[in-house]
Amino acid sequence: MNIILLGAPFSGKGTLARQIVEDFHMVQISTGDLFRENIKNGTEVGLLAKSFMDKGQLVPDSVTIEMLSKRLESDDCKRGFILDGFPRTVAQAQALEKIAKIDSVIQLDVPFDEIRRRATGRRTCSKCGEIYNTATYNKTTCEKCGSPLFQRDDDNLETVNNRLEVYVKQTAPLIDFYADRLFVVKGQDTPADTYKPVKTFLKGRL
Ligand code: AMP
């Protein structure tokens, strides 16, 4: 089973993906993580991506689609994958149709006020990628692996407002694009509340 998680930044795609991975043993592919890895390794793709990411803009389709296509060729994708943060434009969705069969698209619906509230408090584990929020967790190390937490360069209010604008203009049209495979879930409550209907839905699809 191949799944897409669709939603604005901070809607909880990463957290939801981790829960699905645990129960359904699929691989999570986050294009944001792939770009951050490229930045860390100082690759050409990373250098190019950083200039867009820092402004809250999308990395050009050609670069993103090529990076994702290569990732999907790996053996670990054969059992099924969850795409977190891809596609983000109709052109990306059209390209994806040609390389993979997407069974379900789960849309996380979160009010933008809640998203802005979450934005500045997000902290990410530098090792395992676990996500925390300072509103509910004020330690500086990860509860799971003990590694230091960090604040992403693009997790500030100005960049988040840009990212929300980009989401409305470029990504929200995908809700119509995937109307035939869409499952909408409210994402403003706890991760457990959000995951419950998703788990039931996915079990029914197995
Ligand atoms: P994320 O970690 O998903 O919030 O992504 C962080 C940033 O990476 C985004 O704001 C974009 O600049 C870039 N990015 C991630 N995925 C994509 C994508 N599918 N298309 C274009 N840019 C992307």
Side-chain angles (χ1 to χ4, degrees):
M1 182 162 49
N2 299 327
I3 303 169
I4 290 172
L5 298 186
L6 194 59
F10 300 96
S11 55
K13 297 188 297 291
T15 304
L16 182 63
R18 270 165 232 278
Q19 290 165 296
I20 297 173
V21 165
E22 237 170 67
D23 281 339
F24 294 89
H25 312 290
M26 307 161 87
V27 63
Q28 172 193 4
I29 300 170
S30 152
T31 37
D33 284 349
L34 292 177
F35 282 131
R36 281 183 287 277
E37 219 174 280
N38 272 282
I39 292 172
K40 215 163 138 186
N41 296 333
T43 69
E44 209 175 305
V45 167
L47 260 175
L48 185 133
K50 186 160 173 39
S51 59
F52 291 94
M53 290 168 81
D54 284 349
K55 286 182 268 183
Q57 294 170 354
L58 295 185
V59 180
D61 281 340
S62 55
V63 179
T64 311
I65 291 166
E66 201 191 324
M67 178 181 73
L68 193 269
S69 309
K70 269 195 205 145
R71 177 65 186 87
L72 289 183
E73 283 169 12
S74 303
D75 276 352
D76 63 348
C77 294
K78 298 215 164 74
R79 272 189 317 180
F81 56 79
I82 306 169
L83 292 179
D84 156 11
F86 186 97
R88 262 171 153 108
T89 64
V90 171
Q92 290 179 13
Q94 284 166 339
L96 182 62
E97 289 288 289
K98 292 185 191 139
I99 54 177
K101 179 180 170 288
I102 301 300
D103 302 290
S104 300
V105 178
I106 299 169
Q107 185 209 342
L108 274 162
D109 187 20
V110 180
F112 282 7
D113 276 353
E114 167 66 10
I115 285 179
R116 290 194 186 90
R117 194 189 65 74
R118 289 178 186 179
T120 45
R122 177 157 78 177
R123 298 292 180 272
T124 309
C125 174
S126 52
K127 191 168 178 207
C128 72
E130 188 66 24
I131 296 158
Y132 298 91
N133 197 287
T134 51
T136 51
Y137 187 85
N138 60 12
K139 292 184 193 155
T140 55
T141 51
C142 178
E143 199 169 39
K144 290 198 168 163
C145 73
S147 301
L149 305 183
F150 74 102
Q151 182 173 24
R152 277 170 41 177
D153 289 345
D154 55 350
D155 283 356
N156 63 71
L157 203 56
E158 193 194 336
T159 314
V160 168
N161 280 329
N162 288 342
R163 289 163 74 191
L164 287 177
E165 209 180 301
V166 166
Y167 173 77
V168 170
K169 283 196 190 136
Q170 304 199 56
T171 308
L174 294 179
I175 296 169
D176 279 343
F177 186 93
Y178 289 119
D180 60 335
R181 285 162 272 184
L182 198 68
F183 180 72
V184 185
V185 61
K186 296 267 172 226
Q188 72 267 54
D189 299 322
T190 65
D193 287 336
T194 305
Y195 181 47
K196 219 170 151 189
V198 172
K199 188 172 179 177
T200 309
F201 167 73
L202 290 178
K203 272 188 169 168
R205 304 268 332 193
L206 284 177

